[in-house]
Amino acid sequence: MPKFVFRPPIISLAAASVLLPITSSVQAEDTFTPRWSFANVSINYLDWSDGTEERTADNAAKGDFFYLELEGSVGFDWGEFYGFYDFENPQNDTKEEDGRDNRRSAAKVTSHIYLGETPFSLYFHVYDFRDYGYDSEEQDRVVGLGYRHTFDNGLWFKPFLGKAWVESQSGGYSGENGYMLGWVLGYDFEAFGENLSLTNWHEQTFDRDDDYLSRNYVNGPAGSVGTNGAVALWWHPVEAITTGVQYRYSNNKLGTADHYQNAMIYTLKYNFL
């Protein structure tokens, strides 16, 4: 930030008219200068467990699929933003004979707007899912409080708690939908001379609306508590490439009531920022 020195009022209006735009420009540039950022594009294969495919065969059936993802994040002095866009089954038609193979999309944007110099933040979260073959759309929105902390060993942890709303075209329900407690965390380390990292994202929804739970699950109603997340191990062989494996888990989510679902995701990323 520029340092200002008080001067007696002998500066002419003409001089002030030159200095003020420069000062405003410097302040705006500093405010919107990223302190950190990353971006990547990846190809992914999600492989549902045999048990999951059996348990969901007549309950929002799950099938393996490829997807392309664009992911990025940026941080400023006053806040940070993260987002991704997934294009599922890009090689398939919009509507396939087996509905599990339909072309789909998923997108998510989250943000922490810092509350001054404290580790607390205003948290905002939007998730949008669309199955084009079934003409199905659902968007979840969360507004609440977040927290940010990095431990001495380098582990970083960002939990949040917020009020949830949902807009569901397929289920015909729009309105309040309980609460969401969640977090993202990560830890970078070295092993066998290689750069590795562990990450976890987790979402726990609770006190969800009964009407939503009966309308939006194949064999509903689902339980009011839903679990969603993934644990990942990443390998960074060079700066431009990241590859990894994720354990994906959920319960009372993804359209399936009362059944645990799990999968492995195999990922190759190209980091361009």
Side-chain angles (χ1 to χ4, degrees):
M1 292 289 291
K3 183 177 181 181
F4 297 99
V5 178
F6 175 77
R7 298 180 186 278
I10 59 174
I11 301 177
S12 68
L13 291 176
S17 68
V18 173
L19 290 174
L20 286 175
I22 294 175
T23 299
S24 299
S25 175
V26 171
Q27 288 176 324
E29 181 180 351
D30 188 68
T31 298
F32 293 102
T33 299
R35 299 311 180 198
W36 52 265
S37 63
F38 73 81
N40 62 72
V41 61
S42 64
I43 183 169
N44 308 264
Y45 181 70
L46 188 149
D47 181 14
W48 291 108
S49 69
D50 292 341
T52 295
E53 294 190 22
E54 292 173 3
R55 289 189 295 273
T56 65
D58 60 354
N59 193 354
K62 300 300 185 294
D64 305 339
F65 60 93
F66 282 100
Y67 66 96
L68 303 176
E69 181 173 88
L70 181 63
E71 178 188 40
S73 185
V74 61
F76 303 93
D77 284 338
W78 47 270
E80 59 191 69
F81 301 85
Y82 167 82
F84 69 74
Y85 177 81
D86 290 351
F87 188 19
E88 301 179 3
N89 289 322
Q91 76 281 9
N92 292 349
D93 291 331
T94 298
K95 185 173 180 61
E96 293 283 343
E97 183 176 348
D98 185 340
R100 297 178 301 174
D101 299 329
N102 289 347
R103 190 179 296 170
R104 302 180 296 266
S105 70
K108 186 177 186 179
V109 176
T110 68
S111 64
H112 288 268
I113 307 302
Y114 304 154
L115 295 175
E117 300 298 322
T118 75
F120 295 96
S121 59
L122 295 176
Y123 179 80
F124 300 94
H125 168 140
V126 176
Y127 175 78
D128 185 276
F129 175 79
R130 305 185 181 209
D131 186 320
Y132 301 101
Y134 289 117
D135 195 25
S136 173
E137 299 179 15
E138 180 169 311
Q139 187 173 102
D140 298 300
R141 303 161 191 150
V142 177
V143 176
L145 290 175
Y147 183 81
R148 314 171 319 281
H149 184 73
T150 300
F151 295 90
D152 292 339
N153 63 359
L155 171 69
W156 54 266
F157 180 51
K158 298 178 183 180
F160 66 88
L161 173 64
K163 178 65 180 172
W165 290 263
V166 65
E167 184 174 340
S168 175
Q169 181 188 48
S170 56
Y173 175 83
S174 296
E176 297 182 9
N177 199 31
Y179 303 87
M180 180 180 290
L181 169 68
W183 61 79
V184 292
L185 61 83
Y187 177 64
D188 299 325
F189 64 99
E190 290 188 10
F192 308 105
E194 300 294 335
N195 295 319
L196 304 170
S197 58
L198 286 169
T199 59
N200 170 228
W201 68 270
H202 182 90
E203 296 173 353
Q204 200 76 42
T205 53
F206 55 97
D207 196 29
R208 292 184 292 178
D209 187 88
D210 291 341
D211 196 16
Y212 168 81
L213 295 171
S214 62
R215 292 189 187 190
N216 287 270
Y217 286 81
V218 174
N219 292 333
S224 64
V225 177
T227 301
N228 209 17
V231 178
L233 174 64
W234 304 102
W235 175 39
H236 314 280
V238 295
E239 185 174 349
I241 299 296
T242 297
T243 186
V245 60
Q246 305 178 59
Y247 177 76
R248 179 79 168 87
Y249 58 87
S250 69
N251 188 51
N252 273 324
K253 295 284 288 187
L254 311 179
T256 297
D258 301 326
H259 282 309
Y260 183 74
Q261 303 157 79
N262 62 294
M264 301 302 294
I265 305 176
Y266 306 96
T267 299
L268 178 63
K269 298 183 181 185
Y270 173 70
N271 307 305
F272 56 87
L273 185 62

